[in-house]
């Protein structure tokens, strides 16, 4: 039992799980799950109480039972006690103060990352203002490699997302080449297929690989189909670079996705066996988003942001090249408006980076949410300031297959110019070599006889 008195009123919280939920910033998903604070005063009482909880408590009072959940077992069994030692004496409130101090520099944050559990990260985020989340995330350094180097300080990568509602190879190719000519694609060229047809998925893999190999592009491709399909594609000899899967923070929610930790391990080993990376062997790509555990009634009474942070434990176990929160995609039932989406995006980025992950974000919203592109401009700018690993590039910011609003190739140009952010270095060299950018990294005008344009027309460059 936890309790606090505020304005002469006593508030009681039955356990750590309820205390965490009541301390969360207001959001529609927690209200839907009936775990949110009933008032702003109760929320503040919960935060005051949470600030006094020792970090060690999260290793003793488990929010999701160890016996019932393999994600909990992963978190506890893989906890690095040596990395935890420098912060093991802190309360949640002390942890916040330490994270904001000069003592917690990039090297120290990397040293303690594997000692921080998702619940610790989620707890401290609930005590932080937006500026705190930005400042601490900015100090975290997470670098991954496959065919290029992602996550270097002062750099920002872009996933080129050339989706098409009928999986037209020509339509996908057009969007892909459009993005490349705008300098996008150094994170990955990743397609969300409309179909689960294995022969079609194989064609998409070959098409992406053909373009990458033909023009010697230092990037990687991914067809974002279910992990079992990707395993079958590998068995068929398809040129798979990255294995994709949506993941969640509880075993029950992952079961709803048709996955478990053993299946992800099998897929990782299958991808590693192909030896397609030239600079590194980070072969996994994960997507997450607040609300997935709640929408499948698999949250065990845990608030949606803490469930989201637990998904990062799953990702961390498999050393991904990329992981991103598709923050506004699940809809207003879980993040109602621009304010909630912005806050959630900053929380997710902070928690992921603190846990040592290459966290990116699909800065996005659905058309029935109380949000607009101005909100996305705000979130994009805040996240890039905080050291975002990568964002999404969609033609015109409008994904015509998934039917939601994201960020465009032009948005990437805006944020690079505003903050002086660079492409992945190997990709930047390729852009210069292909006369897409000049020696200073500025976009060039593209001539009609550019090799990429000729390729789209079916001509030889």
């Amino acid at each position: 039992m936890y309790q606090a008195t505020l304005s002469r009123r006593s508030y009681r919280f039955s356990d750590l799980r309820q205390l965490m939920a009541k301390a969360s910033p207001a959001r529609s998903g927690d209200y839907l799950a009936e775990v949110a604070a009933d008032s702003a005063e109760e929320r503040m009482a919960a935060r005051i109480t949470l600030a006094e909880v020792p970090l060690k408590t999260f290793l003793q009072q488990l929010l999701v039972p160890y016996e019932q959940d393999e994600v909990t077992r992963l978190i506890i069994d893989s906890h690095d006690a040596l990395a935890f030692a420098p912060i093991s004496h802190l309360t949640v409130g002390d942890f916040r103060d330490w994270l904001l101090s000069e003592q917690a520099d990039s090297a120290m944050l990397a040293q303690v990352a594997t000692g921080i559990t998702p619940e610790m990260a989620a707890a401290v985020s609930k005590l932080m203002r937006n500026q705190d989340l930005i400042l601490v995330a900015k100090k975290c350094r997470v670098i991954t490699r496959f065919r290029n180097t992602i996550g270097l300080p002062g750099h920002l990568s872009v996933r080129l997302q050339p989706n098409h509602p009928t999986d037209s190879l020509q339509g996908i190719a057009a969007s892909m080449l459009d993005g490349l000519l705008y300098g996008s694609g150094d994170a990955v060229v990743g397609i969300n297929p409309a179909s689960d047809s294995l022969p079609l998925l194989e064609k998409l893999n070959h098409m992406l690989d053909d373009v990458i190999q033909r023009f010697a592009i230092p990037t990687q491709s991914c067809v974002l189909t279910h992990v079992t399909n990707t395993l079958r594609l590998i068995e068929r000899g398809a040129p798979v670079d990255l294995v994709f899967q949506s993941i969640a923070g509880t075993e029950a929610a992952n079961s709803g996705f048709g996955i478990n930790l053993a299946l992800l391990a099998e897929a990782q080993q299958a991808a590693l066996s192909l030896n397609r990376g030239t600079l590194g062997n980070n072969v996994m790509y994960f997507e997450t988003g607040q609300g997935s555990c709640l929408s499948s009634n698999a949250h065990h009474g845990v608030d949606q942001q803490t469930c989201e942070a637990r998904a990062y434990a799953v990702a961390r176990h498999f050393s991904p090249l990329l992981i991103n929160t598709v923050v506004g995609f699940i809809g207003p039932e879980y993040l109602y408006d621009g304010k909630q989406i912005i806050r959630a995006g900053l929380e997710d980025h902070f928690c992921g980076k603190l846990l040592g992950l290459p966290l990116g974000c699909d800065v996005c919203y659905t058309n029935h949410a109380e949000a607009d592109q101005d909100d996305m401009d705000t979130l994009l700018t805040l996240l890039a300031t905080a050291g975002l690993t990568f964002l999404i590039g969609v033609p015109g910011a409008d994904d015509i297959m998934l039917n939601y609003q994201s960020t465009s190739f032009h948005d990437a140009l805006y944020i690079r110019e505003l903050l002086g952010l660079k492409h992945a270095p190997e990709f930047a060299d390729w852009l210069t070599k292909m006369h897409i950018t000049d020696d200073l990294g500025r976009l060039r005008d593209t001539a009609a006889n550019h090799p990429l344009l000729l390729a789209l027309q079916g001509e030889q460059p």
Side-chain angles (χ1 to χ4, degrees):
M1 172 74 72
Y2 296 88
Q3 63 182 40
T5 300
L6 199 62
S7 299
R8 299 183 180 179
R9 180 174 178 180
S10 181
Y11 291 92
R12 291 179 174 82
F13 310 98
S14 60
D15 53 24
L16 186 58
R17 177 173 51 192
Q18 186 183 64
L19 179 64
M20 289 275 282
K22 298 289 188 179
S24 287
R27 61 203 56 191
S28 52
D30 286 338
Y31 285 116
L32 189 65
E34 299 183 341
V35 300
D38 293 329
S39 66
E41 186 173 283
E42 184 183 29
R43 185 172 298 111
M44 184 55 67
R47 289 175 179 171
I48 291 171
T49 307
L50 181 61
E52 299 301 319
V53 174
L55 291 181
K56 289 180 179 178
T57 303
F58 292 96
L59 300 173
Q60 302 157 355
Q61 298 181 28
L62 307 182
L63 305 190
V64 181
Y66 182 94
E67 298 78 11
Q68 299 177 17
D69 188 87
E70 68 172 359
V71 177
T72 298
R73 293 194 290 275
L74 174 67
I75 292 168
I76 297 302
D77 295 348
S78 63
H79 182 251
D80 188 339
L82 185 62
F84 181 57
I87 58 173
S88 62
H89 62 290
L90 300 177
T91 65
V92 176
D94 294 334
F95 188 34
R96 173 188 176 274
D97 294 342
W98 180 83
L99 288 170
L100 292 167
S101 73
E102 293 183 1
Q103 182 183 354
D105 58 15
S106 297
M108 178 57 73
L109 289 172
Q111 179 182 327
V112 302
T114 54
I116 302 170
T117 68
E119 290 85 354
M120 295 175 193
V124 75
S125 76
K126 298 176 193 301
L127 306 185
M128 300 176 101
R129 292 169 57 186
N130 287 359
Q131 65 175 244
D132 300 335
L133 299 173
I134 293 168
L135 184 61
V136 175
K138 180 73 171 180
K139 296 191 287 185
C140 297
R141 300 280 186 262
V142 184
I143 298 170
T144 57
R145 294 179 175 90
F146 189 77
R147 291 200 188 99
N148 57 24
T149 306
I150 296 172
L152 292 168
H155 292 66
L156 175 67
S157 294
V158 178
R159 171 190 161 188
L160 203 173
Q161 184 170 299
N163 295 343
H164 192 277
T166 64
D167 289 331
S168 162
L169 295 183
Q170 186 176 17
I172 290 170
S175 293
M176 177 169 57
L177 296 178
D178 183 31
L180 290 170
L181 291 170
Y182 276 108
S184 292
D186 51 343
V188 64
V189 181
I191 301 170
N192 297 93
S195 171
D196 280 332
S197 163
L198 210 61
L200 175 60
L201 298 176
E202 191 168 8
K203 288 181 181 178
L204 292 175
N205 268 282
H206 279 288
M207 187 269 287
L208 293 175
D209 186 61
D210 288 346
V211 174
I212 289 172
Q213 298 301 327
R214 179 178 179 183
F215 294 101
I217 308 173
T219 191
Q220 36 283 327
S221 66
C222 185
V223 176
L224 282 71
T225 187
H226 193 270
V227 63
T228 53
N229 287 335
T230 304
L231 279 168
R232 294 169 67 191
L233 289 169
I234 292 174
E235 292 170 356
R236 292 165 66 112
V240 172
D241 287 343
L242 305 183
V243 174
F244 167 80
Q245 184 55 49
S246 295
I247 57 173
T250 68
E251 179 179 346
N254 283 325
S255 295
F257 285 146
I259 63 167
N260 55 38
L261 299 180
L263 180 60
L264 294 178
E266 179 186 353
Q268 181 187 34
Q269 290 305 309
L272 287 171
S273 72
L274 301 179
N275 293 312
R276 292 179 58 80
T278 55
L279 295 184
N281 59 0
N282 299 114
V283 297
M284 305 298 282
Y285 174 21
F286 296 119
E287 285 189 346
T288 67
Q290 289 193 27
S292 58
C293 289
L294 277 69
S295 67
S296 58
N297 196 27
H299 58 98
H300 298 268
V302 177
D303 65 272
Q304 69 179 40
Q305 189 252 334
T306 302
C307 286
E308 170 71 5
R310 284 169 54 90
Y312 302 155
V314 176
R316 181 167 64 177
H317 186 64
F318 296 102
S319 303
L321 179 75
L322 306 165
I323 170 175
N324 70 279
T325 168
V326 192
V327 66
F329 184 73
I330 199 167
E333 298 84 1
Y334 299 94
L335 295 169
Y336 178 72
D337 56 13
K339 179 180 176 65
Q340 291 187 13
I341 293 171
I342 289 168
R343 174 68 190 191
L346 294 175
E347 289 171 348
D348 294 351
H349 181 251
F350 162 83
C351 288
K353 284 293 186 64
L354 192 62
L355 293 169
L357 285 168
L359 221 295
C361 184
D362 190 346
V363 179
C364 64
Y365 65 100
T366 57
N367 288 310
H368 62 308
E370 291 295 323
D372 58 29
Q373 213 65 36
D374 286 337
D375 295 316
M376 299 306 103
D377 288 348
T378 299
L379 179 54
L380 170 60
T381 305
L382 294 175
L383 284 171
T385 303
L388 184 70
T389 302
F390 74 103
L391 70 150
I392 306 299
V394 177
D398 182 11
D399 192 304
I400 59 174
M401 195 284 282
L402 293 173
N403 194 29
Y404 78 117
Q405 308 305 309
S406 184
T407 44
S408 70
F409 308 138
H410 299 80
D411 294 326
L413 296 176
Y414 146 73
I415 203 65
R416 289 191 197 282
E417 182 176 350
L418 178 70
L419 300 178
L421 299 171
K422 302 176 182 179
H423 301 86
E426 302 84 0
F427 193 80
D429 291 343
W430 178 82
L431 291 173
T432 303
K433 177 183 176 182
M434 292 293 291
H435 301 287
I436 294 172
T437 59
D438 62 20
D439 292 338
L440 298 177
R442 298 173 300 196
L443 204 65
R444 289 175 178 267
D445 291 334
T446 303
N449 63 347
H450 192 280
L452 290 173
L453 292 175
L454 293 177
L456 179 60
Q457 299 166 15
E459 300 177 20
Q460 294 297 319

